[in-house]
């Protein structure tokens, strides 16, 4: 075993207990603290490349810096493991290949997930990343969510309806639960700055843990509530509960559909490929598989739907609508619209305007 690998394992043993360490199938991680924050950073753009892990918890702060590039590849060969706690992972920079049971899924910057205690999984990092892990024991989650009944404001009590809270409460409360599932977070299109909120909350939690004073337990609970509430905001994130039997292609198709619904403009194959971290050809095959249409044809159904909305619900000129939708070629837009409705946009507006726009 390399010295770097040994040093890393010794470091992790300070805040993680690994059961069945020599097993290639049933490794199990345990934490002796209500919660912990773990930050993992890898930098290859510096003269001295390094891999850094920092752990913050009510019991301990510790960090390790390792300048061994081979460590990343060896970490990717670790066996899958489970936890007796919830693991929230959020990719702040770079990307993570998340191996869940027999499936690999790519998480680019700005995305994340919460894994329940029944899933065997492994994070495989790419070069240059910054990843936040928030580990929450079942007892801490139950205490946190049980405290909802004592909140003062209506806006706080509404959080009990959120998908995230329901997922945590269900998985923390039922000891006999054997379901393998996780919660997937995917940002709404043009929600590129939302990660800053998570970064700021992470900073508040870690600074509080480094120098706590009386009452800070309540503040940390509040920061974690705010983090949950932020991720539960449907205007910022699409949240999907994913069963382990959930088809990987269908999850990508779901994310693709969300992007097309969110955007007011047509998105090119290249743009979709960049946003989803999958090749355009692969996305095209998935589109054909689930919609029966090519990626371009499927994306155009959303564009036409938005064109219909602007024609019937606004008094925008047709030229302005074409511009909003991102078309530089007016003839191209007319051709696509006519092939769907067998009439021009002007004829469509005149035919359906009265019953739609005036009533709304």
């Amino acid at each position: 075993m390399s010295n770097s690998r040994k040093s890393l394992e010794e470091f992790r043993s300070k805040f993680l207990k690994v059961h069945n360490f020599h097993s290639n199938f049933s490794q199990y991680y345990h934490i002796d603290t209500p919660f912990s924050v773990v930050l993992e950073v890898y930098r290859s753009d510096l003269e001295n490349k390094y891999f850094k892990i920092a752990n913050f918890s009510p019991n301990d702060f510790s960090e390790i810096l390792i300048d061994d590039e081979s460590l990343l590849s060896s970490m990717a060969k670790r066996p899958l493991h489970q936890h007796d706690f919830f693991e929230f992972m959020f990719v702040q920079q770079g990307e993570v290949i998340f191996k869940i049971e027999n499936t690999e899924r790519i998480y680019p910057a700005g995305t994340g997930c919460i894994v329940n205690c029944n899933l065997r999984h492994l994070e495989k990092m790419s070069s240059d990343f910054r990843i936040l892990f928030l580990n929450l024991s079942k007892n801490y989650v139950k205490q946190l969510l049980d405290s909802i009944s004592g909140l003062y404001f209506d806006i706080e009590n509404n959080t009990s309806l959120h998908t995230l809270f329901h997922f945590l409460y269900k998985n923390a409360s039922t000891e006999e639960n054997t379901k393998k599932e996780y919660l997937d977070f995917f940002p709404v299109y043009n929600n590129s700055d939302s990660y800053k909120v998570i970064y700021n909350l992470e900073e508040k939690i870690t600074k509080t843990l480094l120098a706590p004073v009386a009452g800070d337990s309540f503040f940390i609970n509040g920061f974690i509530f705010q983090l949950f509430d932020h991720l539960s905001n449907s205007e910022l994130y699409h949240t999907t509960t994913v069963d382990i039997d959930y088809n990987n292609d269908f999850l990508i198709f779901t994310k693709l559909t969300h992007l097309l619904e969110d955007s007011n403009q047509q998105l090119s194959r290249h743009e979709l490929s960049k946003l989803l971290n999958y090749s355009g050809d692969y996305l095209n095959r998935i589109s054909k598989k689930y919609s029966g249409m090519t990626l371009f044809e499927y994306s155009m159904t959303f564009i036409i739907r938005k064109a219909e909305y602007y024609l019937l619900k606004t008094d925008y000129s047709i030229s302005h609508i074409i511009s909003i939708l991102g078309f530089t070629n007016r003839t191209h837009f007319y051709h696509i619209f006519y092939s769907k409705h067998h009439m021009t946009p002007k004829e469509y507006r005149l035919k359906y305007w009265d019953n739609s726009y005036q009533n709304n």
Side-chain angles (χ1 to χ4, degrees):
M1 181 185 294
S2 70
N3 288 333
S4 295
R5 181 69 184 271
K6 185 176 180 181
S7 299
L8 179 59
E9 289 176 357
E10 289 175 348
F11 168 74
R12 278 188 162 153
S13 67
K14 295 178 182 178
F15 59 90
L16 271 181
K17 289 185 178 178
V18 182
H19 299 278
N20 301 328
F21 178 77
H22 296 292
S23 171
N24 286 323
F25 182 79
S26 58
Q27 280 198 8
Y28 204 84
Y29 291 5
H30 168 76
I31 54 173
D32 285 324
T33 183
F35 62 86
S36 67
V37 176
V38 179
L39 297 174
E40 297 193 3
V41 180
Y42 178 70
R43 294 288 300 272
S44 66
D45 57 336
L46 305 175
E47 184 176 349
N48 296 317
K49 302 174 183 179
Y50 70 81
F51 176 48
K52 179 179 179 181
I53 303 179
N55 174 70
F56 305 80
S57 79
N59 306 339
D60 174 66
F61 165 70
S62 52
E63 62 181 350
I64 187 171
L65 187 69
I66 297 175
D67 56 354
D68 183 353
E69 192 174 2
S70 65
L71 187 65
L72 275 183
S73 59
S74 66
M75 285 177 65
K77 298 174 184 175
R78 293 172 295 160
L80 299 175
H81 61 269
Q82 290 175 247
H83 304 146
D84 65 353
F85 53 88
F86 293 97
E87 179 184 77
F88 164 63
M89 177 194 73
F90 189 84
V91 184
Q92 296 176 327
Q93 296 173 16
E95 71 175 31
V96 170
I97 299 173
F98 201 50
K99 188 170 183 179
I100 306 174
E101 299 291 344
N102 297 318
T103 305
E104 289 190 354
R105 287 168 181 157
I106 298 175
Y107 281 85
T111 66
C113 64
I114 295 181
V115 176
N116 82 352
C117 302
N118 299 324
L119 275 175
R120 296 167 60 247
H121 64 282
L122 173 68
E123 301 87 13
K124 298 164 69 174
M125 287 73 163
S126 66
S127 61
D128 293 348
F129 56 76
R130 188 180 197 274
I131 303 163
L132 163 68
F133 295 94
L134 177 62
N135 302 318
L136 308 167
S137 73
K138 279 189 174 183
N139 283 337
Y140 175 75
V141 168
K142 285 191 280 189
Q143 290 170 11
L144 193 66
L145 298 183
D146 286 343
S147 68
I148 287 175
S149 60
L151 301 178
Y152 303 122
F153 307 107
D154 289 341
I155 192 171
E156 294 177 305
N157 290 315
N158 286 338
T159 57
S160 62
L161 303 175
H162 289 165
T163 302
L164 189 154
F165 288 83
H166 177 71
F167 173 86
L168 289 173
Y169 194 82
K170 177 184 67 174
N171 280 277
S173 302
T174 309
E175 294 298 332
E176 297 78 19
N177 178 30
T178 59
K179 196 165 188 178
K180 295 174 178 285
E181 62 181 1
Y182 64 98
L183 211 58
D184 180 90
F185 302 101
F186 186 75
V188 169
Y189 183 64
N190 282 335
N191 176 26
S192 57
D193 292 334
S194 181
Y195 75 93
K196 293 178 182 177
V197 174
I198 293 177
Y199 181 84
N200 289 335
L201 287 169
E202 167 217 308
E203 260 201 336
K204 289 178 180 179
I205 294 170
T206 53
K207 285 181 179 179
T208 304
L209 287 169
L210 286 172
V213 297
D216 273 348
S217 295
F218 298 101
F219 280 105
I220 289 177
N221 288 350
F223 296 145
I224 292 175
F225 255 116
Q226 289 174 35
L227 175 65
F228 289 173
D229 187 64
H230 176 74
L231 290 167
S232 298
N233 188 336
S234 60
E235 294 182 0
L236 300 175
Y237 288 93
H238 294 295
T239 306
T240 306
T241 302
V242 184
D243 190 282
I244 192 57
D245 295 325
Y246 204 89
N247 186 281
N248 188 47
D249 284 355
F250 190 71
L251 179 61
I252 298 169
F253 179 71
T254 301
K255 292 182 177 182
L256 169 65
T257 302
H258 285 324
L259 280 175
L260 296 174
E261 286 175 336
D262 293 341
S263 174
N264 278 327
Q265 292 191 339
Q266 57 177 330
L267 295 171
S268 69
R269 181 183 289 202
H270 174 73
E271 288 171 315
L272 289 168
S273 175
K274 188 175 180 181
L275 289 165
L276 291 167
N277 276 47
Y278 290 94
S279 73
D281 288 342
Y282 183 51
L283 294 176
N284 190 52
R285 288 199 301 273
I286 288 174
S287 177
K288 283 183 176 179
K289 180 178 179 179
Y290 291 104
S291 72
M293 294 178 274
T294 66
L295 184 58
F296 174 77
E297 290 168 342
Y298 186 57
S299 65
M300 283 303 104
T301 63
F302 294 90
I303 292 297
I304 294 302
R305 197 177 302 163
K306 290 180 176 72
E308 293 165 356
Y309 172 84
Y310 288 125
L311 288 167
L312 302 182
K313 309 292 185 184
T314 75
D315 57 1
Y316 295 161
S317 70
I318 293 173
S319 295
H320 184 51
I321 292 171
I322 292 172
S323 175
I324 291 174
L325 296 175
F327 283 88
T328 55
N329 187 320
R330 184 184 181 95
T331 304
H332 184 211
F333 171 76
Y334 268 79
H335 173 74
I336 292 171
F337 193 90
Y338 192 88
S339 63
K340 166 74 185 297
H341 290 292
H342 303 291
M343 63 181 80
T344 66
K346 183 178 179 180
E347 290 168 340
Y348 181 86
R349 171 175 270 175
L350 290 173
K351 182 173 181 179
Y352 297 109
W353 174 280
D354 289 343
N355 293 330
S356 179
Y357 180 68
Q358 290 182 355
N359 290 337
N360 287 276

